[in-house]
Amino acid sequence: MHVDQPYRIVIAGGGTAGWIAAAVLARFLPPSRYEISLVESDAIGTVGVGEATIPQLQLLNAALGLDEFAFMRETQATYKLGIEFVGWGASDSRYIHAFGAVGRQIGQTPFQHFWRRGRDLGETAPLDAYSVNSAAAYAGKFTRAKSHPPQPNDIAHAFHFDASLYARYLGAYAQARGVKRLEGQINAVQTDAQSGHVTSLSLDGDRTLPGDLFIDCTGFRGLLIEGAVGVGYEAWGHWLPCDRALALPCASAPELTPFTRSTAHRAGWQWRIPLQHRIGNGHVYCSSHISDDEAAQVLTSGLDGEALGDPRILKFTTGRRKVFWRGNVVALGLASGFLEPLESTSIHLVQSAVERLLKFLPNGTINAVDVSAYNSQTIFEWERVRDFIILHYHANSRPEPFWRDCATMAVPDSLTEKLELFRANGRISRFNEELFAEPGWLQVMVGQGVIPDGYHPFADNQSPAEVKELLALLRRSVAKQVADMPSHEAFIARHCRAV
Ligand SMILES: Cc1cc2nc3c(=O)[nH]c(=O)nc-3n(C[C@H](O)[C@H](O)[C@H](O)COP(=O)(O)OP(=O)(O)OC[C@H]3O[C@@H](n4cnc5c(N)ncnc54)[C@H](O)[C@@H]3O)c2cc1C
């Protein structure tokens, strides 16, 4: 790399993905050596959804040096302790996939083995009773973890926020650190005939934007990665058959709940995401099982407040680009693929891809082994998240044809292995650095009705009375922790109410 010539990074698209990339690159790359530009089109706009997150977003905000309360005020955010799944396992079931720990590991033995043995001894309390996050969510309580770094049984939080406000917030951050924003439409993408590398973008008004590395954040269209480079798409519709969503915000309800709710319907599910100024709602569904009109009816009849507008339809094919980086084009966000928002993972996948891009940042010329390592790590991450989402659909006992199809479909081998391992003796193995840890798999497996046949023999090391006392102690400790917390509403009013 020639240090006298800045390396030109061009970000195409200014949705959540584009501005996360711009903010992170501006934060970590010295402006004397890197020139970062971002082009976005006001006429095209952004997808305008994407309001629920996972706790890792705290790391992004911290890396950028953002003050959490200022961020909350700027983005109309609320706290999120997990996701409540209503009607997902059986039609009348209800559970929370909460962040943070469930119970406590005893010696080397994970908690679920004691919980499972407890069932044999007549202990009927659900996993929720052993999770600070679940108990606080149901009680409408919130406080931040007191210890840094948080201890295993501390509360763990993520956020619900207005995605457009977050993109604007990061936009101001990035531009203040030297990112050059261009407004306008990309009309054409020039490539080098020999290398296939993108050389420049043509913008309206006869402008040309040349670059060395291009980050495609143009949303579903994938203008560079697909339009210009043509990497191809691997569709996962046979495992995740929902292909449409209707989004419709509504007025706030009296209680500001600190969790996302996901309610299963006859051919899909509905999200409910409480923000400070409104509630985000949407119905994700399978168009071969329900019409758009009926899906809209289901959505509007399940709102907690007055609808703010008409439902907006979004069509998608779940899956991923065959590769995420080819030549000098890296795709992020919706340009890189789509996983439905059931576990609020898309923004996180942007965050972790940008982090990975920094790790593999080209040193002048682009190295094929870097590209290959980047792609295989990203594919691994996407496929594990995909498996976790498939689990919600597959392990169900609902009667409707859509759900029976999901229950009987063949699932990826990697998921079958996880399911069989858990069914046998409650064991959960986390592959490498896959995103969801043991407590997540545990809560969703059990919540969806997958109860292990047995448990680890170490759970028999204690007497029945000792196991019962241990479980009771853990429940009391959770209840006490939650009793001492303020309400979510009061916490926000005190620290981060948007003005
Ligand atoms: C129904 C639904 C619900 C979702 N819910 C969640 C959620 O709860 N949590 C979560 O983490 N994620 C969620 N997501 C995903 C999340 O919305 C996206 O990952 C995130 O918003 C990033 O989008 P993006 O920036 O890739 O694309 P977009 O927001 O579509 O941005 C694309 C950008 O490219 C620009 N552009 C496109 N074409 C051109 C052109 N020719 N010239 C110039 N500029 C151009 C646009 O102007 C825009 O700036 C959801 C997605 C959907 C569809």
Side-chain angles (χ1 to χ4, degrees):
M1 182 172 173
H2 305 292
V3 283
D4 51 334
Q5 281 176 338
Y7 191 73
R8 298 160 303 173
I9 300 180
V10 173
I11 302 169
T16 314
W19 283 116
I20 287 179
V24 172
L25 297 181
R27 164 76 182 81
F28 291 103
L29 302 185
S32 55
R33 295 180 57 198
Y34 294 89
E35 196 177 277
I36 305 166
S37 320
L38 181 146
V39 56
E40 63 181 331
S41 159
D42 293 342
I44 293 175
T46 65
V47 73
V49 280
E51 302 177 326
T53 64
I54 57 174
Q56 282 82 345
L57 193 83
Q58 283 180 64
L59 302 176
L60 173 65
N61 286 345
L64 296 176
L66 304 180
D67 172 72
E68 182 167 302
F69 291 153
F71 147 80
M72 301 273 305
R73 280 192 287 270
E74 291 286 337
T75 62
Q76 296 278 354
T78 64
Y79 287 100
K80 172 180 171 186
L81 296 174
I83 305 171
E84 183 189 30
F85 290 93
V86 179
W88 273 83
S91 303
D92 60 352
S93 67
R94 184 180 284 263
Y95 70 94
I96 292 194
H97 167 202
F99 307 130
V102 178
R104 202 166 288 172
Q105 178 164 315
I106 314 294
Q108 290 306 307
T109 312
F111 171 72
Q112 71 264 20
H113 300 285
F114 295 92
W115 177 80
R116 175 63 188 83
R117 183 168 177 222
R119 281 172 66 100
D120 287 351
L121 300 171
E123 290 287 339
T124 54
L127 287 173
D128 287 343
Y130 301 92
S131 151
V132 175
N133 270 53
S134 293
Y138 278 133
K141 301 274 196 103
F142 181 76
T143 194
R144 293 201 297 182
K146 299 256 177 325
S147 20
H148 297 283
Q151 297 303 300
N153 281 75
D154 275 343
I155 199 157
H157 70 268
F159 313 96
H160 304 119
F161 60 47
D162 183 319
S164 312
L165 294 178
Y166 189 56
R168 199 183 303 164
Y169 189 49
L170 294 186
Y173 175 100
Q175 288 173 79
R177 283 159 184 78
V179 173
K180 191 170 148 208
R181 172 186 182 267
L182 292 95
E183 200 287 318
Q185 209 153 319
I186 303 163
N187 296 324
V189 180
Q190 280 77 40
T191 53
D192 179 80
Q194 220 165 20
S195 65
H197 282 204
V198 171
T199 51
S200 62
L201 307 180
S202 298
L203 311 184
D204 52 13
D206 273 343
R207 292 171 294 167
T208 303
L209 185 55
D212 299 305
L213 181 70
F214 289 81
I215 305 183
D216 187 351
C217 300
T218 57
F220 284 124
R221 6 179 118 60
L223 215 60
L224 280 67
I225 194 79
E226 203 56 68
V229 181
V231 296
Y233 196 76
E234 183 173 309
W236 290 335
H238 49 298
W239 289 315
L240 294 166
C242 288
D243 55 1
R244 290 186 190 182
L246 287 163
L248 177 62
C250 74
S252 297
E255 198 202 347
L256 202 56
T257 44
F259 57 90
T260 304
R261 178 174 294 134
S262 163
T263 306
H265 291 310
R266 76 170 178 79
W269 60 279
Q270 179 164 347
W271 79 75
R272 177 191 187 277
I273 300 176
L275 308 182
Q276 291 193 35
H277 60 324
R278 59 170 168 78
I279 299 174
N281 307 280
H283 185 186
V284 175
Y285 58 97
C286 177
S287 62
S288 58
H289 281 263
I290 188 171
S291 70
D292 295 337
D293 285 348
E294 203 190 332
Q297 224 169 8
V298 169
L299 175 62
T300 49
S301 63
L303 302 182
D304 285 345
E306 188 194 335
L308 305 173
D310 294 318
R312 196 160 60 87
I313 195 161
L314 295 139
K315 298 181 181 174
F316 50 81
T317 304
T318 296
R320 64 166 172 85
R321 297 284 170 218
K322 289 200 169 140
V323 291
F324 296 89
W325 181 347
R326 178 177 289 170
N328 65 342
V329 175
V330 182
L332 297 181
L334 299 173
S336 65
F338 185 73
L339 272 167
E340 59 176 87
L342 190 57
E343 284 284 352
S344 322
T345 42
S346 291
I347 292 171
H348 173 75
L349 290 172
V350 173
Q351 172 186 342
S352 94
V354 177
E355 202 180 302
R356 190 172 299 120
L357 179 58
L358 275 182
K359 200 161 89 181
F360 289 103
L361 196 69
N363 186 8
T365 50
I366 292 170
N367 201 322
V369 291
D370 286 338
V371 174
S372 166
Y374 177 94
N375 280 325
S376 56
Q377 288 179 21
T378 313
I379 289 169
F380 175 84
E381 181 176 44
W382 273 68
E383 291 187 348
R384 296 305 146 189
V385 174
R386 173 204 68 192
D387 284 2
F388 192 55
I389 294 174
I390 296 174
L391 168 66
H392 299 65
Y393 282 98
H394 181 57
N396 85 82
S397 51
R398 290 183 65 101
E400 299 93 336
F402 168 80
W403 291 98
R404 295 327 309 141
D405 286 355
C406 292
T408 51
M409 70 185 168
V411 299
D413 292 345
S414 41
L415 176 57
T416 303
E417 191 187 322
K418 271 224 157 76
L419 273 163
E420 286 178 356
L421 199 62
F422 186 73
R423 268 200 192 103
N425 279 305
R427 292 181 228 267
I428 300 166
S429 68
R430 187 180 187 184
F431 299 115
N432 289 328
E433 292 174 3
E434 68 177 293
L435 178 59
F436 289 100
E438 287 84 347
W441 285 95
L442 170 66
Q443 292 171 90
V444 175
M445 295 255 202
V446 169
Q448 295 292 134
V450 184
I451 305 297
D453 294 334
Y455 51 84
H456 195 286
F458 286 179
D460 277 333
N461 288 350
Q462 270 108 335
S463 71
E466 281 169 338
V467 170
K468 284 170 148 253
E469 179 47 32
L470 169 75
L471 294 174
L473 187 79
L474 290 172
R475 289 197 300 269
R476 281 199 300 274
S477 152
V478 164
K480 162 90 177 68
Q481 235 176 307
V482 172
D484 292 343
M485 291 177 193
S487 74
H488 179 225
E489 187 105 34
F491 188 93
I492 287 187
R494 174 147 185 233
H495 298 287
C496 47
R497 169 75 72 211
V499 283

